Amino acid sequence: MTSSQKIALALAGVGKIARDQHIPSCEEGRDFDIKAAISRNGKIEGAENFESYDAFLQNRNGIQAISLCTPPEVRFDMAKKAIAAGLDVLMEKPPAATMGEAQALAEMADMAGVVLFATWHSRFANGVEPAREWLSTKKITSVTITWKEDVRRWHPGQAWIWEAGGFGVFDPGINALSILTAIIPGQTIVEKASLSFPANRQQPIAASLKMRSAAGAPISAEFDWRQEGPQTWDIVVETDKGTLRLAKGGAELYIDGKLTVEGPDREYARIYTRFAELVRTRKSDADYQPLRLVADAFLTGERHEVEAFIE
């Protein structure tokens, strides 16, 4: 395959994230051509549409890669079948429901010789790579994460997100953890956590984490789905040579209070540029540290019951 040839792509799960991000990024990019879609409820014009995933795998007609945009609880079986069929696989975040599933998929892909890309879209925000570069020459003394949003605004009617395996407030919180682990070197350690569960839900609506970096710097994180009014997605890093702040989910970068990086959202465009690079060079990119931090938060977390959540 040459760099000028478009990669034939299938998209599984034609929901909101697919229509808002995946489809426009492919249509506006130069690397992928969506040839097939698999969904019980949605269709993509100009693509061959399937309701059955198994039927698609039996009639995939030259498709090389697939993007899995389904909820995480069904993604393992779909990814497993795609890998067995020899397809290169892109997985929406979080890549799997458990660390066991994630690690198993990485081993399967390696043995099959296919590409596996576990995406963390917030890592592709405008300010994240410049932040990593700036921090690479500094001593980090502390990190503070404040990630507070209104669940009714961003996840209306998504009942699965409150069920076992649905992640609750860690669905957005894992975005912050993906940025953290991209800009801070080494493994981050969870020391303790406090998790707030609505009386009528299986997943937390808020969480407080105390962590430390591999070098010993303290890291605190506050996640909350009850934020009304202005929404907050900030990461502040104190260093021996100044203060760095990533705002608006990584879209803006401030150094000592001065805005140094901003621009239009291109997270998913960059994801597909990266996926094309991986497919053409036959390399995988599957970092599961953000998922491991969520798992560790549940392992170390104190459970607190709060008032019932009524949408």
Side-chain angles (χ1 to χ4, degrees), residues 218-248:
I219 302 170
S220 65
E222 294 290 334
F223 304 137
D224 203 319
W225 252 352
R226 300 165 295 190
Q227 178 90 339
E228 297 179 359
Q231 310 286 277
T232 305
W233 301 288
D234 285 358
I235 299 177
V236 176
V237 185
E238 300 288 351
T239 79
D240 61 338
K241 297 179 181 178
T243 300
L244 176 148
R245 180 168 74 95
L246 283 165
K248 298 181 180 179

Side-chain angles (χ1 to χ4, degrees), residues 11-237:
L11 195 151
V14 186
K16 179 174 171 53
I17 191 65
R19 295 198 180 280
D20 288 352
Q21 299 289 355
H22 290 263
I23 296 171
S25 295
C26 290
E27 290 178 344
E28 295 166 10
R30 60 184 181 182
D31 294 307
F32 290 93
D33 190 1
I34 300 177
K35 292 290 190 180
I38 309 97
S39 176
R40 293 179 181 176
N41 302 308
K43 297 184 183 299
I44 298 178
E45 186 177 351
E48 187 174 6
N49 290 277
F50 298 85
E51 291 188 6
S52 166
Y53 188 68
D54 289 340
F56 155 72
L57 291 174
Q58 293 169 6
N59 302 275
R60 57 187 183 274
N61 299 325
I63 288 173
Q64 180 177 351
I66 185 167
S67 290
L68 301 181
C69 306
T70 60
E73 66 265 21
V74 299
R75 202 171 294 148
F76 176 77
D77 287 339
M78 297 178 79
K80 179 180 177 180
K81 290 179 179 180
I83 291 169
L87 296 175
D88 297 326
V89 180
L90 178 152
M91 297 183 292
E92 250 292 351
K93 70 89 188 173
T98 68
M99 280 299 299
E101 287 184 353
Q103 291 171 344
L105 290 176
E107 292 178 3
M108 291 175 195
D110 184 59
M111 292 179 64
V114 303
V115 172
L116 186 67
F117 183 24
T119 65
W120 301 104
H121 66 81
S122 291
R123 287 183 172 179
F124 293 86
N126 296 322
V128 174
E129 179 57 22
R132 187 198 64 78
E133 292 179 358
W134 189 84
L135 290 169
S136 67
T137 59
K138 313 295 187 299
K139 179 182 178 181
I140 296 168
T141 56
S142 70
V143 182
T144 303
I145 299 171
T146 307
W147 221 256
K148 298 182 178 182
E149 61 181 60
D150 185 350
V151 65
R152 293 180 176 89
R153 183 190 303 187
W154 301 104
H155 301 277
Q158 296 182 9
W160 63 268
I161 213 164
W162 294 104
E163 299 300 326
F167 284 71
V169 75
F170 285 106
D171 181 80
I174 204 170
N175 294 333
L177 297 175
S178 72
I179 294 174
L180 173 74
T181 52
I183 65 176
I184 305 295
Q187 293 289 308
T188 297
I189 308 301
V190 177
E191 296 181 325
K192 61 180 180 179
S194 176
L195 310 178
S196 297
F197 288 78
N200 60 338
R201 303 290 176 171
Q202 297 296 316
Q203 294 296 319
I205 197 168
S208 298
L209 276 61
K210 296 297 181 184
M211 302 173 282
R212 57 181 169 84
S213 71
I219 302 170
S220 65
E222 294 290 334
F223 304 137
D224 203 319
W225 252 352
R226 300 165 295 190
Q227 178 90 339
E228 297 179 359
Q231 310 286 277
T232 305
W233 301 288
D234 285 358
I235 299 177
V236 176
V237 185

